[in-house]
Amino acid sequence: MTDALPNSPAAQRFPVVIVGAGPAGLTVGNVLRAAGVDCLVLEAETREFIENRPRAGVLEEWAVRGLEARGLARNLLERAELHTACEFRFSGERYRFSYEELTGRRHFVYPQPLVVTDLVREYADVRGGEIRFGVRDVALHGLGTDRPSVSYTCPATGRRQVVACAFVAGCDGARGVARASLPPGRARVARHDYGIGWLALLAQAPPSSDCVLFGCHPRGFAGHMPRSPEVTRYYLQCPPGDDPADWPHERVWAELRQRLGAAGAPPLAEGALIEKRVLDLHDYVVEPMVHGRLLLAGDAAHLVAPIAAKGMNLALHDAFLLGDALVARLTEGDDSGLAGYSEACLRRVWDYQEFSQWLSEVFHGTASGDPFRAGTTVARLRRLFTSPTAAAAFAEQYLGTAVRY
Ligand SMILES: Cc1cc2nc3c(=O)[nH]c(=O)nc-3n(C[C@H](O)[C@H](O)[C@H](O)COP(=O)(O)OP(=O)(O)OC[C@H]3O[C@@H](n4cnc5c(N)ncnc54)[C@H](O)[C@@H]3O)c2cc1C
């Protein structure tokens, strides 16, 4: 429900404005709507665009259970593929790491476009949440006051609209306006550049294995991530800033065959490359994640390079905590969730960042050109398959199952 602001016939009011309809923003919106709290989601792209944008695909079991507890996992539980192992390939051999045998836990593989499609449908079509697509020039105002507002240009009329609110949830990803609206000097932004590029590929091809493959090869890392029976994601390490046009079909598949090659490995199932872009691997963390009435969540607050497939999981973790904290504040006046929100999120964020750095060395050390790093990398890899303690620690971090963060 909205009402006009005094002296401003064009203005509207919602308790919460959510900027960005990715996994973080849509989950917060769904939690609020389930509790009867009104909110408005503002999204720069069209609904069709966000429902088709390919990105992540691996969900940790705790995240799936979190969605399920909030009534948001029906399709996911019916359709997701369950993964029980991953496979490292190095020194010409295959080493299967069966994490389910060690922990009883699995990964759920469910492409991000399906996660987003389910969340939009539930928010807008089932729970009756308001969402405006294609908005332009979103700007945040009065974040240090208790009367913040958000303005944007309406795509249909070209007019500026103003929405007053009590809280702004900044869920607009790595390139959004929320992080850019932080007053200078108020937040610490810690950044890490790996100095490594990944050619991120989507192939119109069935998976070449029943599990994720990590090729740790002197020519560079190669990854294989099943997404669906028809589509598979691959990664190839490349120099940062490389031009995807320099990676024609033949070169990509020749390189994948070499880097993922190992004794007894079945041939790769080749197919047309339907996405090809270079990611310059980097991480950042904004601390704290709360500034006045602006609450950051997901990639807006922290980016973790896709090395360990953690980004969407962290976005969901933030969204669960933020949604619950806003509900407590707006329905019962309980501020404790909001007060502890940033710290509770950042404990898991830093843990996942550390694991991604550790795994980066495992993936990239053998191709570093430094024989010392190559030697220690192989030692790390061997330890996973010779030491049950090391294996258990890896499984815990890979699956995000630590009892406390
Ligand atoms: C190639 C690749 C592979 C990945 N693989 C994995 C994986 O396997 N597992 C995993 O957990 N994570 C993975 N990730 C990371 C994951 O995709 C992100 O962490 C996740 O999308 C973050 O969700 P979010 O809601 O915070 O942000 P986003 O998904 O980026 O959503 C933000 C939304 O805000 C909108 N927006 C932006 N600016 C504005 C604005 N000014 N006004 C209004 N709206 C705006 C955007 O259009 C977007 O819809 C991968 C990422 C990439 C790039």
Side-chain angles (χ1 to χ4, degrees):
M1 195 188 304
T2 65
D3 55 71
L5 281 180
N7 310 321
S8 175
Q12 295 180 304
R13 179 184 291 282
F14 284 83
V16 182
V17 174
I18 299 168
V19 186
L26 290 167
T27 302
V28 172
N30 271 298
V31 172
L32 295 178
R33 289 299 304 153
V37 175
D38 275 327
C39 54
L40 170 66
V41 176
L42 296 175
E43 167 57 48
E45 304 288 354
T46 63
R47 181 166 180 168
E48 193 193 0
F49 182 89
I50 64 165
E51 288 182 346
N52 288 287
R53 179 169 44 200
R55 277 189 183 170
V58 177
L59 284 165
E60 295 176 354
E61 190 154 352
W62 62 264
V64 173
R65 298 301 162 214
L67 288 168
E68 185 182 21
R70 291 160 179 85
L72 299 171
R74 207 179 52 245
N75 290 340
L76 192 168
L77 289 170
E78 270 173 26
R79 297 185 202 156
E81 299 211 359
L82 297 180
H83 280 206
T84 59
C86 58
E87 187 174 302
F88 289 87
R89 294 185 174 177
F90 61 97
S91 307
E93 300 290 336
R94 305 163 66 186
Y95 296 85
R96 194 171 171 93
F97 189 92
S98 296
Y99 46 79
E100 191 193 30
E101 274 176 26
L102 277 174
T103 65
R105 303 294 176 85
R106 296 151 304 175
H107 266 156
F108 288 66
V109 175
Y110 193 62
Q112 186 165 335
L114 298 183
V115 173
V116 168
T117 300
D118 292 351
L119 289 173
V120 179
R121 193 182 156 275
E122 184 68 26
Y123 173 76
D125 306 339
V126 179
R127 299 187 187 184
E130 278 238 27
I131 182 162
R132 294 179 194 159
F133 291 101
V135 299
R136 298 198 305 273
D137 303 324
V138 172
L140 315 184
H141 313 278
L143 297 170
T145 73
D146 57 4
R147 297 168 66 92
S149 61
V150 180
S151 62
Y152 65 94
T153 301
C154 169
T157 64
R159 286 211 198 101
R160 270 328 262 172
Q161 302 287 327
V162 180
V163 186
C165 56
F167 294 97
V168 180
C171 305
D172 51 353
R175 296 195 183 84
V177 69
R179 197 171 68 262
S181 306
L182 295 173
R186 292 291 296 278
R188 190 183 78 174
V189 183
R191 190 181 157 104
H192 174 71
D193 281 285
Y194 289 89
I196 287 169
W198 271 13
L199 182 68
L201 303 152
L202 272 182
Q204 192 83 53
S208 302
S209 162
D210 65 342
C211 71
V212 166
L213 305 176
F214 301 126
C216 306
H217 194 275
R219 291 182 66 84
F221 171 75
H224 158 279
M225 327 267 150
R227 286 292 189 254
S228 72
E230 301 85 28
V231 174
T232 305
R233 187 173 276 296
Y234 287 93
Y235 293 114
L236 277 171
Q237 183 183 345
C238 64
D242 227 12
D243 184 353
D246 290 339
W247 287 90
H249 183 95
E250 292 310 328
R251 183 180 177 203
V252 164
W253 287 104
E255 209 58 49
L256 285 169
R257 279 194 297 271
Q258 265 195 294
R259 299 188 196 181
L260 288 169
L268 298 183
E270 291 188 23
L273 299 169
I274 52 177
E275 190 199 58
K276 201 164 49 166
R277 63 191 179 114
V278 170
L279 310 173
D280 290 349
L281 299 190
H282 67 281
D283 309 316
Y284 60 74
V285 180
V286 178
E287 281 187 288
M289 290 166 56
V290 178
H291 295 273
R293 292 300 180 101
L294 172 63
L295 307 137
L296 299 175
D299 281 8
H302 40 75
L303 189 84
V304 51
I307 294 166
K310 296 292 192 185
M312 181 161 64
N313 293 285
L314 286 176
L316 291 172
H317 184 248
D318 294 353
F320 297 152
L321 295 181
L322 181 55
D324 292 348
L326 284 168
V327 168
R329 166 63 200 265
L330 291 164
T331 61
E332 297 159 24
D334 174 359
D335 255 334
S336 57
L338 287 180
Y341 168 67
S342 179
E343 202 197 327
C345 295
L346 288 169
R347 280 200 298 266
R348 189 182 283 262
V349 167
W350 280 116
D351 194 87
Y352 281 25
Q353 295 282 17
E354 191 283 330
F355 178 60
S356 296
Q357 275 206 327
W358 182 90
L359 197 57
S360 170
E361 187 61 14
V362 170
F363 287 171
H364 305 120
T366 36
S368 65
D370 174 348
F372 192 87
R373 273 179 71 189
T376 53
T377 296
V378 173
R380 272 190 194 189
L381 281 163
R382 290 203 189 289
R383 193 183 300 136
L384 290 183
F385 297 93
T386 53
S387 158
T389 310
F394 174 81
E396 182 180 272
Q397 291 175 303
Y398 189 56
L399 298 166
T401 53
V403 178
R404 283 195 68 214
Y405 282 93

